[in-house]
Amino acid sequence: MKIYTSEYDRIGKRSPMLYGQFMEHFHRQIYGGIYDPGNELSDEDGFRRDVLKALRDIHVPIIRWPGGCFVSSYHWKDAVGKERKSFFDKAWRVEEPNTFGTDEYIKMCRKIGCEPYICTNAGTGTVEEMSDWVEYCNLQTEGRYAKWRIENGHSQPYQVKYWSIGNENYGNWEIGAKSVEEWGRIVAEAAKMMKHVDPTIELTAAALTDLDWNINLLKHSAPYLNWISIHQYWDRIHETNTPADYEAVLGFTNHTEDSIRRVKGLLMAMGLEKKIKIAFDEWNMKEWYHPKVHTIEQGVTREEYLYPRDANDNNSLYTMGDAIFTACFLNAINRNCDIVGMAAFAPAVNTRGCIFTCKDGIVLRSTYQVFYLYTNYMGDIVRDVKFQNMETICVTNSDGEKEEIDVVDVCVTEFSDRPGLAVALVNKLETEYAAVQLDFEAAGEMKGYYICGESVSSYNDIGRTQVVIQQEQIGTFRRGIEVRLRPHSVEIIQIGCRK
Ligand code: AHR
């Protein structure tokens, strides 16, 4: 196999926001996750120091919050100030104490050093409530909500630039779901009010790959939108928690770009691809496990929908296979950086997240190691790559069908601020090395940073680190040099980089 690229193949500069994360009020993501007042490992504000550091180490650029399905019956005003009001969260069917609200979220983002990105309630909420939230966050002193923020001890506006109208409002599982016809108008009206409070904000709205939904949304709301949000989880296991085997995972890697292509195609057809970018603001290979919750079926007990969620915390589920998929997806959004400007791994902490917390420590799962590799060693200018003699293998996908897949996935980057190249190479083969010839111009020493683990089932857990980043000196680059990729590995090779 040979890969070719040149400086004339630049796709563009990718947004740093491609490496964003998502946090929802679900199970132990917030409470008992990043926010754990009283825990010895937490700081004076109740945030877990170890989690904050782990997020800083992967340079998290942006965190979407507070949901997810949770947001569709969330009222932000109940969760600020001294008089917090708990409520029964109708999406996840648990009591929400509201001790973590907007002020705590902003404080958390400041500690991490990332942009806040707030998703509003377009389920049971009103457009006025959305614009009041913008007022609370962004107005200097005008209006009762800006004054309320000041009264709550925050004299300076929070300057929240990124806002989403709604979450998955097309889905019948979502509280206050909307019809195709309703959605475009609601978004336009919400956007109008929000932008009348602060015209500098950037707005996105819940969407998917459905043509009717998107055409109607864009017909009504395109003038107000900077983004369009899409979500995807490839392994559809929210009712079963029976993860796909490795062959099926490889099948998923064939489809990392499908939704992007469809939405980009529509944006192009409507002449909007320069104005509106894709926010892939929830993605993960595995769906979260929460069986029997989005139902009105008689006789489902609280135990049946609540207790199974603990199974998301089984660290052995997050293997080198998940890392392979994660790297392929990051390559995909890098390659599509002309249209994808933001993405959020769902979620950051606990559930299917890249960081797991327990009372006395954290586990950095295999997917965390991938984020570490990409955010620390890849460049920001993405190049197109051409292949010669790409090897393929035939796998059985999750639908039981045969599929041909490429054995390696590649992304080549340059750095806007220094010389050198960084090449991400994923060898999907389970047990064999893959040899790749690098047929392009570059110069200097080659250094590799990689993860592979013993097998595709390797995982990290408390007292067990099987998937760790290792380094190697590969030698001096020459055009046509062959690199041998370890079985089931993700490797970033830097060429001529001074670090
Ligand atoms: O399973 C988690 C949920 O997935 C998120 O809350 C929602 O946005 C998506 O459907």
Side-chain angles (χ1 to χ4, degrees), residues 150-182:
I150 297 168
E151 227 175 270
N152 291 337
H154 310 284
S155 59
Q156 289 312 307
Y158 289 148
Q159 294 178 319
V160 178
K161 181 169 175 187
Y162 301 100
W163 295 81
S164 167
I165 299 171
N167 174 74
E168 297 185 359
N169 305 79
Y170 42 80
N172 61 1
W173 58 88
E174 198 73 18
I175 303 285
K178 303 290 183 278
S179 68
V180 169
E181 291 70 32
E182 286 166 329

Side-chain angles (χ1 to χ4, degrees), residues 24-42:
E24 175 163 2
H25 289 241
F26 174 86
H27 204 238
R28 297 192 313 110
Q29 293 180 33
I30 303 288
Y31 306 108
I34 190 154
Y35 190 62
D36 201 0
N39 186 305
E40 277 179 15
L41 299 176
S42 297

Side-chain angles (χ1 to χ4, degrees), residues 73 86-96 302 305:
S73 69
S86 65
F87 79 110
F88 188 74
D89 157 18
K90 312 291 186 306
W92 300 122
R93 302 165 72 178
V94 288
E95 183 170 86
E96 162 61 45
R302 191 174 159 75
Y305 66 75

